[in-house]
């Protein structure tokens, strides 16, 4: 079985400050890990993914995520937050194998104040 | 079209009626996924296909829910004898251009079909 936990329902950050959105996962074998963003009344958009290789993955809009195998974590980060980053963020996991199901976390609402 | 297309965008039905939700994936995408999403929550996995084969339907809530993708392109999610608890946003996503290695790839989501059961 595979699962994802996003322990924070909401994260509040001042514009210009660094942000972190936490994600931990559970999967048998090696994981594929993803981050998606959802703006109000829109579909989900892909941000970045980890498959193998460098533990620090860079994605869209200046976001990056760090894979930590020992802690089974894949936290999303950005050095300097923008008000436009305010949205709902979802972490997702799949098994490292032929195309398989992708399980999403419950989401974290990121709110950036000016 | 260029993206994943879902129809209808909005569906209001009475309890006990059957509904069919359609997904037209990105042309050439091998994998197709169905999710259900409650407001402010994460997408809940329902089922997925590689080509026309349904690979995993473990997320379908009960036998009133079914899905098919007979020609490996368009998919239909059918809910029979709808109940109020079926009200939700149903999202389809596709992945993996044909010809690439069959590995899990990033999903491209449609705008969803919002189902309301009265």
């Amino acid at each position: 079985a595979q699962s994802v936990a996003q322990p924070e329902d909401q994260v509040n950050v001042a514009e210009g400050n660094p942000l972190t959105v936490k994600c931990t996962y559970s999967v048998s074998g090696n994981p594929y890990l993803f981050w998606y963003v959802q703006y109000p009344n829109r579909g989900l958009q892909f941000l970045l993914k980890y498959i193998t290789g460098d533990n620090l993955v860079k994605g869209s809009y200046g976001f990056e995520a760090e894979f930590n195998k020992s802690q089974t974590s894949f936290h999303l980060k950005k050095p300097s937050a923008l008000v436009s980053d305010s949205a709902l963020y979802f972490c997702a996991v799949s098994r490292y194998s032929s195309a398989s199901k992708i399980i999403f976390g419950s989401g974290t609402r990121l709110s950036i104040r000016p | 079209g260029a993206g994943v297309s879902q129809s209808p965008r909005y569906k209001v039905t009475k309890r006990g009626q059957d509904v069919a939700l359609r997904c037209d994936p990105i042309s050439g995408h091998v994998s197709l996924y169905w999710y259900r999403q409650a407001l402010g929550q994460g997408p809940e996995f329902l089922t997925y296909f590689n080509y026309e084969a349904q690979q995993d339907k473990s997320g379908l809530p009960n036998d009133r829910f079914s899905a098919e993708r007979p020609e490996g392109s368009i998919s239909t999610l059918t809910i029979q004898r709808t109940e109020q608890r079926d009200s939700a946003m149903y999202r389809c996503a596709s992945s993996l251009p044909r010809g690439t290695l069959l590995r899990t790839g990033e999903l491209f989501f449609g705008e969803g079909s919002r189902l309301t059961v009265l």
Side-chain angles (χ1 to χ4, degrees):
Chain A
Q2 54 202 85
S3 64
V4 178
Q6 293 183 244
E8 303 155 317
D9 289 337
Q10 177 139 355
V11 170
N12 299 307
V13 176
E15 188 175 26
N17 283 2
L19 69 88
T20 299
V21 183
K22 296 180 181 177
C23 170
T24 59
Y25 67 90
S26 173
V27 68
S28 58
N30 292 321
Y32 276 134
L33 293 159
F34 305 84
W35 277 101
Y36 289 81
V37 60
Q38 186 174 29
Y39 297 100
N41 301 314
R42 300 298 304 276
L44 283 79
Q45 299 175 32
F46 169 77
L47 271 182
L48 52 79
K49 68 181 176 184
Y50 171 83
I51 298 176
T52 187
D54 195 346
N55 289 344
L56 186 64
V57 178
K58 294 189 183 297
S60 306
Y61 312 120
F63 282 94
E64 57 190 26
E66 186 169 13
F67 171 63
N68 187 317
K69 187 172 184 177
S70 63
Q71 297 186 2
T72 61
S73 68
F74 189 56
H75 300 332
L76 182 70
K77 300 181 180 184
K78 187 172 182 181
S80 178
L82 299 173
V83 172
S84 58
D85 293 331
S86 298
L88 199 51
Y89 290 81
F90 296 99
C91 182
V93 67
S94 178
R95 288 188 301 118
Y96 185 86
S97 68
S98 60
S100 61
K101 70 181 181 183
I102 301 173
I103 300 299
F104 284 79
S106 57
T108 298
R109 186 167 299 283
L110 179 62
S111 178
I112 310 300
R113 60 183 183 275
Chain B
V4 177
S5 177
Q6 292 187 245
S7 60
R9 290 290 310 279
Y10 302 92
K11 177 69 177 180
V12 180
T13 190
K14 292 183 178 179
R15 184 165 50 94
Q17 296 295 306
D18 298 350
V19 298
L21 306 178
R22 173 188 162 118
C23 174
D24 194 349
I26 292 173
S27 178
H29 273 194
V30 167
S31 299
L32 186 147
Y33 293 74
W34 282 101
Y35 290 88
R36 180 168 68 176
Q37 187 178 22
L39 193 63
Q41 299 297 311
E44 173 193 7
F45 171 81
L46 295 178
T47 185
Y48 86 100
F49 296 81
N50 286 336
Y51 301 98
E52 71 282 359
Q54 191 170 23
Q55 299 292 319
D56 188 321
K57 57 180 181 179
S58 61
L60 296 176
N62 51 60
D63 60 7
R64 295 187 296 106
F65 286 73
S66 63
E68 62 175 9
R69 193 187 185 198
E71 297 180 0
S73 179
I74 293 169
S75 177
T76 303
L77 177 69
T78 301
I79 309 172
Q80 295 179 313
R81 305 180 303 282
T82 53
E83 301 178 4
Q84 286 185 330
R85 59 179 172 158
D86 299 334
S87 296
M89 177 72 81
Y90 289 84
R91 296 196 184 275
C92 175
S94 70
S95 181
L96 290 181
R98 201 175 294 267
T100 58
L101 285 176
L102 199 60
R103 296 285 187 192
T104 306
E106 59 265 36
L107 299 176
F108 294 83
F109 281 86
E111 293 294 315
S113 292
R114 181 168 295 284
L115 174 64
T116 302
V117 182
L118 302 176

